[in-house]
Amino acid sequence: ELHLFNQFEGSEGGRASSRVHINAASQPAMLEADIKGRDLKLNLISGDISDPSRIPPLDLTVDLQAQGNTPHALAASSNGRVLVTLRDGQIANNKVGLFIGDFVAQVFGKLNPFAQEEENTWLDCLVLGMDIDDGMLDFGGMLLQTEKIKANGDGGIDLGTEELEVEFESRPREGLGISASMFVTPFIGLDGTLAEPKIKMKKTSAIVAVATGGLSLVAKTITGRA
């Protein structure tokens, strides 16, 4: 039986604590994790900046329970919740891949086309909420807002099979104008598996958008603003 406890402070402020309990003697083995972070400024994706106030504060809550004798069995039986929030601050667009992986950086670039042509993105907020029920992970809330775009998503992952199905919608914050880039990137999704995820375009939304001359995008934007 193993008990782990850790506390630390961020390099530019904030605190985190973690408690992990592993009971390998029970059958099946049991795992419990309780991790909390508040106002952490770790400067992982902000780039080289001299002003700490530009680093987005990170809040993190992980409450997880699982049982099983293999990593796969633990994942497939897990229950709990995860909540991650980033508040206003600077993101260096070329650092996103280093922090969260190249594939997620590609998704970020699809949702935020300005990331391909600008050095930095000013983040207003990022919220990622996940509920886990018997190995089924549901993205109860996904929201990304920068100074130029808003994006939201929903979907889930079967941690037992590693299959995923997630969909996103993005739109510019200013006005209701339809640009060429909106027809390429407003409705995208992910499918495949965690080992081999794939980016896809939501075909139904694309067909409707073309058939209505873009009016469906205006309607979705108005609904999103409401």
Side-chain angles (χ1 to χ4, degrees), residues 103-132:
F103 181 78
V104 180
Q106 292 179 39
V107 176
F108 179 75
K110 293 288 186 182
L111 294 175
N112 178 24
F114 302 102
Q116 303 175 17
E117 53 192 54
E118 298 178 352
E119 182 178 355
N120 299 308
T121 293
W122 184 263
L123 177 72
D124 286 341
C125 68
L126 168 67
V127 180
L128 177 59
M130 294 171 279
D131 293 315
I132 309 172

PDB file of all heavy atoms in Angstrom, residues 103-132:
ATOM      1  N   PHE A 103      -0.301  16.984 -32.014  1.00  0.00           N
ATOM      2  CA  PHE A 103      -1.647  16.790 -32.552  1.00  0.00           C
ATOM      3  C   PHE A 103      -2.617  17.820 -31.980  1.00  0.00           C
ATOM      4  O   PHE A 103      -3.418  18.415 -32.717  1.00  0.00           O
ATOM      5  CB  PHE A 103      -2.151  15.378 -32.264  1.00  0.00           C
ATOM      6  CG  PHE A 103      -3.516  15.125 -32.824  1.00  0.00           C
ATOM      7  CD1 PHE A 103      -3.687  14.868 -34.179  1.00  0.00           C
ATOM      8  CD2 PHE A 103      -4.636  15.164 -32.011  1.00  0.00           C
ATOM      9  CE1 PHE A 103      -4.952  14.655 -34.709  1.00  0.00           C
ATOM     10  CE2 PHE A 103      -5.897  14.949 -32.532  1.00  0.00           C
ATOM     11  CZ  PHE A 103      -6.057  14.692 -33.890  1.00  0.00           C
ATOM     12  N   VAL A 104      -2.557  18.054 -30.664  1.00  0.00           N
ATOM     13  CA  VAL A 104      -3.439  19.044 -30.053  1.00  0.00           C
ATOM     14  C   VAL A 104      -3.092  20.437 -30.572  1.00  0.00           C
ATOM     15  O   VAL A 104      -3.972  21.283 -30.739  1.00  0.00           O
ATOM     16  CB  VAL A 104      -3.343  18.989 -28.525  1.00  0.00           C
ATOM     17  CG1 VAL A 104      -4.273  20.014 -27.882  1.00  0.00           C
ATOM     18  CG2 VAL A 104      -3.698  17.598 -28.022  1.00  0.00           C
ATOM     19  N   ALA A 105      -1.817  20.673 -30.870  1.00  0.00           N
ATOM     20  CA  ALA A 105      -1.420  21.947 -31.461  1.00  0.00           C
ATOM     21  C   ALA A 105      -2.060  22.125 -32.834  1.00  0.00           C
ATOM     22  O   ALA A 105      -2.449  23.236 -33.218  1.00  0.00           O
ATOM     23  CB  ALA A 105       0.098  22.028 -31.567  1.00  0.00           C
ATOM     24  N   GLN A 106      -2.197  21.040 -33.591  1.00  0.00           N
ATOM     25  CA  GLN A 106      -2.878  21.104 -34.882  1.00  0.00           C
ATOM     26  C   GLN A 106      -4.340  21.480 -34.701  1.00  0.00           C
ATOM     27  O   GLN A 106      -4.887  22.284 -35.463  1.00  0.00           O
ATOM     28  CB  GLN A 106      -2.773  19.766 -35.601  1.00  0.00           C
ATOM     29  CG  GLN A 106      -1.375  19.390 -36.069  1.00  0.00           C
ATOM     30  CD  GLN A 106      -1.368  18.031 -36.744  1.00  0.00           C
ATOM     31  OE1 GLN A 106      -2.281  17.683 -37.486  1.00  0.00           O
ATOM     32  NE2 GLN A 106      -0.345  17.245 -36.479  1.00  0.00           N
ATOM     33  N   VAL A 107      -4.986  20.887 -33.703  1.00  0.00           N
ATOM     34  CA  VAL A 107      -6.389  21.212 -33.423  1.00  0.00           C
ATOM     35  C   VAL A 107      -6.507  22.681 -33.045  1.00  0.00           C
ATOM     36  O   VAL A 107      -7.406  23.399 -33.517  1.00  0.00           O
ATOM     37  CB  VAL A 107      -6.945  20.315 -32.300  1.00  0.00           C
ATOM     38  CG1 VAL A 107      -8.368  20.730 -31.939  1.00  0.00           C
ATOM     39  CG2 VAL A 107      -6.899  18.855 -32.726  1.00  0.00           C
ATOM     40  N   PHE A 108      -5.593  23.157 -32.199  1.00  0.00           N
ATOM     41  CA  PHE A 108      -5.595  24.564 -31.788  1.00  0.00           C
ATOM     42  C   PHE A 108      -5.458  25.467 -33.003  1.00  0.00           C
ATOM     43  O   PHE A 108      -6.133  26.500 -33.118  1.00  0.00           O
ATOM     44  CB  PHE A 108      -4.457  24.816 -30.794  1.00  0.00           C
ATOM     45  CG  PHE A 108      -4.352  26.247 -30.331  1.00  0.00           C
ATOM     46  CD1 PHE A 108      -5.246  26.765 -29.420  1.00  0.00           C
ATOM     47  CD2 PHE A 108      -3.344  27.078 -30.818  1.00  0.00           C
ATOM     48  CE1 PHE A 108      -5.155  28.087 -28.993  1.00  0.00           C
ATOM     49  CE2 PHE A 108      -3.242  28.390 -30.403  1.00  0.00           C
ATOM     50  CZ  PHE A 108      -4.153  28.896 -29.482  1.00  0.00           C
ATOM     51  N   GLY A 109      -4.594  25.070 -33.949  1.00  0.00           N
ATOM     52  CA  GLY A 109      -4.413  25.857 -35.157  1.00  0.00           C
ATOM     53  C   GLY A 109      -5.643  25.868 -36.048  1.00  0.00           C
ATOM     54  O   GLY A 109      -5.933  26.872 -36.706  1.00  0.00           O
ATOM     55  N   LYS A 110      -6.399  24.755 -36.081  1.00  0.00           N
ATOM     56  CA  LYS A 110      -7.632  24.709 -36.855  1.00  0.00           C
ATOM     57  C   LYS A 110      -8.704  25.602 -36.241  1.00  0.00           C
ATOM     58  O   LYS A 110      -9.447  26.294 -36.945  1.00  0.00           O
ATOM     59  CB  LYS A 110      -8.149  23.276 -36.942  1.00  0.00           C
ATOM     60  CG  LYS A 110      -7.278  22.330 -37.745  1.00  0.00           C
ATOM     61  CD  LYS A 110      -7.371  22.620 -39.229  1.00  0.00           C
ATOM     62  CE  LYS A 110      -6.605  21.580 -40.028  1.00  0.00           C
ATOM     63  NZ  LYS A 110      -6.640  21.876 -41.487  1.00  0.00           N
ATOM     64  N   LEU A 111      -8.813  25.564 -34.915  1.00  0.00           N
ATOM     65  CA  LEU A 111      -9.822  26.371 -34.241  1.00  0.00           C
ATOM     66  C   LEU A 111      -9.469  27.845 -34.271  1.00  0.00           C
ATOM     67  O   LEU A 111     -10.341  28.703 -34.295  1.00  0.00           O
ATOM     68  CB  LEU A 111      -9.969  25.910 -32.784  1.00  0.00           C
ATOM     69  CG  LEU A 111     -10.522  24.502 -32.568  1.00  0.00           C
ATOM     70  CD1 LEU A 111     -10.495  24.147 -31.094  1.00  0.00           C
ATOM     71  CD2 LEU A 111     -11.934  24.380 -33.112  1.00  0.00           C
ATOM     72  N   ASN A 112      -8.167  28.135 -34.238  1.00  0.00           N
ATOM     73  CA  ASN A 112      -7.694  29.511 -34.201  1.00  0.00           C
ATOM     74  C   ASN A 112      -6.767  29.750 -35.385  1.00  0.00           C
ATOM     75  O   ASN A 112      -5.553  29.629 -35.262  1.00  0.00           O
ATOM     76  CB  ASN A 112      -6.962  29.780 -32.877  1.00  0.00           C
ATOM     77  CG  ASN A 112      -6.402  31.190 -32.813  1.00  0.00           C
ATOM     78  OD1 ASN A 112      -6.886  32.092 -33.493  1.00  0.00           O
ATOM     79  ND2 ASN A 112      -5.377  31.386 -32.001  1.00  0.00           N
ATOM     80  N   PRO A 113      -7.315  30.073 -36.570  1.00  0.00           N
ATOM     81  CA  PRO A 113      -6.476  30.241 -37.754  1.00  0.00           C
ATOM     82  C   PRO A 113      -5.439  31.339 -37.615  1.00  0.00           C
ATOM     83  O   PRO A 113      -4.430  31.329 -38.316  1.00  0.00           O
ATOM     84  CB  PRO A 113      -7.497  30.566 -38.859  1.00  0.00           C
ATOM     85  CG  PRO A 113      -8.715  31.055 -38.145  1.00  0.00           C
ATOM     86  CD  PRO A 113      -8.740  30.315 -36.848  1.00  0.00           C
ATOM     87  N   PHE A 114      -5.664  32.295 -36.699  1.00  0.00           N
ATOM     88  CA  PHE A 114      -4.695  33.360 -36.492  1.00  0.00           C
ATOM     89  C   PHE A 114      -3.386  32.834 -35.893  1.00  0.00           C
ATOM     90  O   PHE A 114      -2.343  33.483 -35.986  1.00  0.00           O
ATOM     91  CB  PHE A 114      -5.278  34.434 -35.572  1.00  0.00           C
ATOM     92  CG  PHE A 114      -6.555  35.036 -36.089  1.00  0.00           C
ATOM     93  CD1 PHE A 114      -7.772  34.651 -35.570  1.00  0.00           C
ATOM     94  CD2 PHE A 114      -6.540  35.971 -37.113  1.00  0.00           C
ATOM     95  CE1 PHE A 114      -8.955  35.191 -36.038  1.00  0.00           C
ATOM     96  CE2 PHE A 114      -7.711  36.515 -37.596  1.00  0.00           C
ATOM     97  CZ  PHE A 114      -8.926  36.133 -37.058  1.00  0.00           C
ATOM     98  N   ALA A 115      -3.441  31.652 -35.278  1.00  0.00           N
ATOM     99  CA  ALA A 115      -2.236  31.082 -34.663  1.00  0.00           C
ATOM    100  C   ALA A 115      -1.171  30.750 -35.695  1.00  0.00           C
ATOM    101  O   ALA A 115       0.008  30.641 -35.362  1.00  0.00           O
ATOM    102  CB  ALA A 115      -2.602  29.821 -33.873  1.00  0.00           C
ATOM    103  N   GLN A 116      -1.572  30.583 -36.961  1.00  0.00           N
ATOM    104  CA  GLN A 116      -0.612  30.238 -38.001  1.00  0.00           C
ATOM    105  C   GLN A 116       0.139  31.447 -38.526  1.00  0.00           C
ATOM    106  O   GLN A 116       1.178  31.301 -39.157  1.00  0.00           O
ATOM    107  CB  GLN A 116      -1.343  29.537 -39.152  1.00  0.00           C
ATOM    108  CG  GLN A 116      -2.093  28.288 -38.708  1.00  0.00           C
ATOM    109  CD  GLN A 116      -2.910  27.679 -39.826  1.00  0.00           C
ATOM    110  OE1 GLN A 116      -2.698  27.984 -40.989  1.00  0.00           O
ATOM    111  NE2 GLN A 116      -3.849  26.804 -39.474  1.00  0.00           N
ATOM    112  N   GLU A 117      -0.385  32.637 -38.276  1.00  0.00           N
ATOM    113  CA  GLU A 117       0.237  33.830 -38.831  1.00  0.00           C
ATOM    114  C   GLU A 117       0.699  34.827 -37.772  1.00  0.00           C
ATOM    115  O   GLU A 117       1.327  35.822 -38.110  1.00  0.00           O
ATOM    116  CB  GLU A 117      -0.746  34.516 -39.789  1.00  0.00           C
ATOM    117  CG  GLU A 117      -2.097  34.782 -39.158  1.00  0.00           C
ATOM    118  CD  GLU A 117      -3.160  35.185 -40.174  1.00  0.00           C
ATOM    119  OE1 GLU A 117      -3.363  34.450 -41.149  1.00  0.00           O
ATOM    120  OE2 GLU A 117      -3.766  36.257 -39.968  1.00  0.00           O
ATOM    121  N   GLU A 118       0.390  34.558 -36.508  1.00  0.00           N
ATOM    122  CA  GLU A 118       0.785  35.463 -35.438  1.00  0.00           C
ATOM    123  C   GLU A 118       1.669  34.736 -34.437  1.00  0.00           C
ATOM    124  O   GLU A 118       1.506  33.540 -34.207  1.00  0.00           O
ATOM    125  CB  GLU A 118      -0.446  36.040 -34.739  1.00  0.00           C
ATOM    126  CG  GLU A 118      -1.327  36.875 -35.662  1.00  0.00           C
ATOM    127  CD  GLU A 118      -2.573  37.405 -34.961  1.00  0.00           C
ATOM    128  OE1 GLU A 118      -2.809  36.987 -33.800  1.00  0.00           O
ATOM    129  OE2 GLU A 118      -3.298  38.216 -35.557  1.00  0.00           O
ATOM    130  N   GLU A 119       2.596  35.461 -33.827  1.00  0.00           N
ATOM    131  CA  GLU A 119       3.537  34.859 -32.888  1.00  0.00           C
ATOM    132  C   GLU A 119       2.869  34.466 -31.582  1.00  0.00           C
ATOM    133  O   GLU A 119       3.166  33.405 -31.016  1.00  0.00           O
ATOM    134  CB  GLU A 119       4.679  35.841 -32.601  1.00  0.00           C
ATOM    135  CG  GLU A 119       5.751  35.297 -31.681  1.00  0.00           C
ATOM    136  CD  GLU A 119       6.885  36.280 -31.451  1.00  0.00           C
ATOM    137  OE1 GLU A 119       6.880  37.347 -32.093  1.00  0.00           O
ATOM    138  OE2 GLU A 119       7.778  35.981 -30.624  1.00  0.00           O
ATOM    139  N   ASN A 120       1.952  35.308 -31.103  1.00  0.00           N
ATOM    140  CA  ASN A 120       1.302  35.069 -29.820  1.00  0.00           C
ATOM    141  C   ASN A 120      -0.211  35.162 -29.945  1.00  0.00           C
ATOM    142  O   ASN A 120      -0.740  35.823 -30.847  1.00  0.00           O
ATOM    143  CB  ASN A 120       1.772  36.089 -28.769  1.00  0.00           C
ATOM    144  CG  ASN A 120       3.263  36.018 -28.519  1.00  0.00           C
ATOM    145  OD1 ASN A 120       3.799  34.951 -28.254  1.00  0.00           O
ATOM    146  ND2 ASN A 120       3.945  37.155 -28.625  1.00  0.00           N
ATOM    147  N   THR A 121      -0.907  34.498 -29.027  1.00  0.00           N
ATOM    148  CA  THR A 121      -2.356  34.602 -28.898  1.00  0.00           C
ATOM    149  C   THR A 121      -2.665  35.093 -27.490  1.00  0.00           C
ATOM    150  O   THR A 121      -2.096  34.587 -26.518  1.00  0.00           O
ATOM    151  CB  THR A 121      -3.037  33.240 -29.120  1.00  0.00           C
ATOM    152  OG1 THR A 121      -2.867  32.838 -30.482  1.00  0.00           O
ATOM    153  CG2 THR A 121      -4.521  33.308 -28.807  1.00  0.00           C
ATOM    154  N   TRP A 122      -3.552  36.091 -27.408  1.00  0.00           N
ATOM    155  CA  TRP A 122      -3.974  36.537 -26.077  1.00  0.00           C
ATOM    156  C   TRP A 122      -5.216  35.746 -25.671  1.00  0.00           C
ATOM    157  O   TRP A 122      -6.260  35.827 -26.300  1.00  0.00           O
ATOM    158  CB  TRP A 122      -4.270  38.027 -26.032  1.00  0.00           C
ATOM    159  CG  TRP A 122      -4.609  38.461 -24.632  1.00  0.00           C
ATOM    160  CD1 TRP A 122      -5.845  38.618 -24.082  1.00  0.00           C
ATOM    161  CD2 TRP A 122      -3.671  38.704 -23.580  1.00  0.00           C
ATOM    162  NE1 TRP A 122      -5.749  38.967 -22.753  1.00  0.00           N
ATOM    163  CE2 TRP A 122      -4.423  39.026 -22.420  1.00  0.00           C
ATOM    164  CE3 TRP A 122      -2.278  38.685 -23.499  1.00  0.00           C
ATOM    165  CZ2 TRP A 122      -3.824  39.327 -21.209  1.00  0.00           C
ATOM    166  CZ3 TRP A 122      -1.690  38.986 -22.278  1.00  0.00           C
ATOM    167  CH2 TRP A 122      -2.451  39.299 -21.153  1.00  0.00           C
ATOM    168  N   LEU A 123      -5.069  34.965 -24.625  1.00  0.00           N
ATOM    169  CA  LEU A 123      -6.141  34.101 -24.140  1.00  0.00           C
ATOM    170  C   LEU A 123      -6.990  34.835 -23.130  1.00  0.00           C
ATOM    171  O   LEU A 123      -6.473  35.417 -22.179  1.00  0.00           O
ATOM    172  CB  LEU A 123      -5.526  32.850 -23.502  1.00  0.00           C
ATOM    173  CG  LEU A 123      -6.489  31.850 -22.881  1.00  0.00           C
ATOM    174  CD1 LEU A 123      -7.247  31.100 -23.963  1.00  0.00           C
ATOM    175  CD2 LEU A 123      -5.735  30.876 -21.981  1.00  0.00           C
ATOM    176  N   ASP A 124      -8.305  34.799 -23.328  1.00  0.00           N
ATOM    177  CA  ASP A 124      -9.230  35.300 -22.313  1.00  0.00           C
ATOM    178  C   ASP A 124      -9.555  34.204 -21.308  1.00  0.00           C
ATOM    179  O   ASP A 124      -9.537  34.432 -20.105  1.00  0.00           O
ATOM    180  CB  ASP A 124     -10.515  35.819 -22.953  1.00  0.00           C
ATOM    181  CG  ASP A 124     -10.299  37.157 -23.643  1.00  0.00           C
ATOM    182  OD1 ASP A 124      -9.316  37.832 -23.337  1.00  0.00           O
ATOM    183  OD2 ASP A 124     -11.123  37.516 -24.508  1.00  0.00           O
ATOM    184  N   CYS A 125      -9.871  33.006 -21.799  1.00  0.00           N
ATOM    185  CA  CYS A 125     -10.125  31.889 -20.900  1.00  0.00           C
ATOM    186  C   CYS A 125     -10.136  30.579 -21.671  1.00  0.00           C
ATOM    187  O   CYS A 125     -10.458  30.543 -22.863  1.00  0.00           O
ATOM    188  CB  CYS A 125     -11.434  32.058 -20.124  1.00  0.00           C
ATOM    189  SG  CYS A 125     -12.914  31.942 -21.143  1.00  0.00           S
ATOM    190  N   LEU A 126      -9.772  29.528 -20.984  1.00  0.00           N
ATOM    191  CA  LEU A 126      -9.872  28.164 -21.492  1.00  0.00           C
ATOM    192  C   LEU A 126     -10.455  27.317 -20.378  1.00  0.00           C
ATOM    193  O   LEU A 126      -9.933  27.314 -19.252  1.00  0.00           O
ATOM    194  CB  LEU A 126      -8.494  27.629 -21.894  1.00  0.00           C
ATOM    195  CG  LEU A 126      -8.410  26.125 -22.182  1.00  0.00           C
ATOM    196  CD1 LEU A 126      -9.216  25.782 -23.431  1.00  0.00           C
ATOM    197  CD2 LEU A 126      -6.965  25.680 -22.354  1.00  0.00           C
ATOM    198  N   VAL A 127     -11.544  26.611 -20.657  1.00  0.00           N
ATOM    199  CA  VAL A 127     -12.194  25.754 -19.667  1.00  0.00           C
ATOM    200  C   VAL A 127     -12.338  24.364 -20.262  1.00  0.00           C
ATOM    201  O   VAL A 127     -12.851  24.212 -21.373  1.00  0.00           O
ATOM    202  CB  VAL A 127     -13.582  26.289 -19.262  1.00  0.00           C
ATOM    203  CG1 VAL A 127     -14.224  25.358 -18.228  1.00  0.00           C
ATOM    204  CG2 VAL A 127     -13.480  27.698 -18.714  1.00  0.00           C
ATOM    205  N   LEU A 128     -11.875  23.359 -19.538  1.00  0.00           N
ATOM    206  CA  LEU A 128     -12.011  21.970 -19.964  1.00  0.00           C
ATOM    207  C   LEU A 128     -12.520  21.162 -18.784  1.00  0.00           C
ATOM    208  O   LEU A 128     -11.803  20.948 -17.812  1.00  0.00           O
ATOM    209  CB  LEU A 128     -10.667  21.428 -20.449  1.00  0.00           C
ATOM    210  CG  LEU A 128     -10.623  19.950 -20.877  1.00  0.00           C
ATOM    211  CD1 LEU A 128     -11.603  19.702 -22.013  1.00  0.00           C
ATOM    212  CD2 LEU A 128      -9.218  19.553 -21.289  1.00  0.00           C
ATOM    213  N   GLY A 129     -13.778  20.728 -18.866  1.00  0.00           N
ATOM    214  CA  GLY A 129     -14.383  19.945 -17.794  1.00  0.00           C
ATOM    215  C   GLY A 129     -14.671  18.537 -18.272  1.00  0.00           C
ATOM    216  O   GLY A 129     -15.208  18.344 -19.372  1.00  0.00           O
ATOM    217  N   MET A 130     -14.307  17.543 -17.481  1.00  0.00           N
ATOM    218  CA  MET A 130     -14.488  16.144 -17.864  1.00  0.00           C
ATOM    219  C   MET A 130     -15.091  15.356 -16.711  1.00  0.00           C
ATOM    220  O   MET A 130     -14.607  15.440 -15.581  1.00  0.00           O
ATOM    221  CB  MET A 130     -13.142  15.524 -18.253  1.00  0.00           C
ATOM    222  CG  MET A 130     -12.516  16.117 -19.497  1.00  0.00           C
ATOM    223  SD  MET A 130     -10.815  15.548 -19.780  1.00  0.00           S
ATOM    224  CE  MET A 130      -9.917  16.629 -18.667  1.00  0.00           C
ATOM    225  N   ASP A 131     -16.135  14.604 -17.003  1.00  0.00           N
ATOM    226  CA  ASP A 131     -16.717  13.656 -16.056  1.00  0.00           C
ATOM    227  C   ASP A 131     -16.399  12.246 -16.532  1.00  0.00           C
ATOM    228  O   ASP A 131     -16.532  11.943 -17.729  1.00  0.00           O
ATOM    229  CB  ASP A 131     -18.233  13.839 -15.961  1.00  0.00           C
ATOM    230  CG  ASP A 131     -18.616  15.163 -15.337  1.00  0.00           C
ATOM    231  OD1 ASP A 131     -18.006  15.530 -14.318  1.00  0.00           O
ATOM    232  OD2 ASP A 131     -19.516  15.836 -15.874  1.00  0.00           O
ATOM    233  N   ILE A 132     -15.981  11.376 -15.616  1.00  0.00           N
ATOM    234  CA  ILE A 132     -15.612  10.003 -15.962  1.00  0.00           C
ATOM    235  C   ILE A 132     -16.521   9.050 -15.201  1.00  0.00           C
ATOM    236  O   ILE A 132     -16.588   9.092 -13.967  1.00  0.00           O
ATOM    237  CB  ILE A 132     -14.136   9.728 -15.621  1.00  0.00           C
ATOM    238  CG1 ILE A 132     -13.232  10.800 -16.220  1.00  0.00           C
ATOM    239  CG2 ILE A 132     -13.726   8.341 -16.128  1.00  0.00           C
ATOM    240  CD1 ILE A 132     -11.784  10.698 -15.776  1.00  0.00           C
TER     241      ILE A 132
END
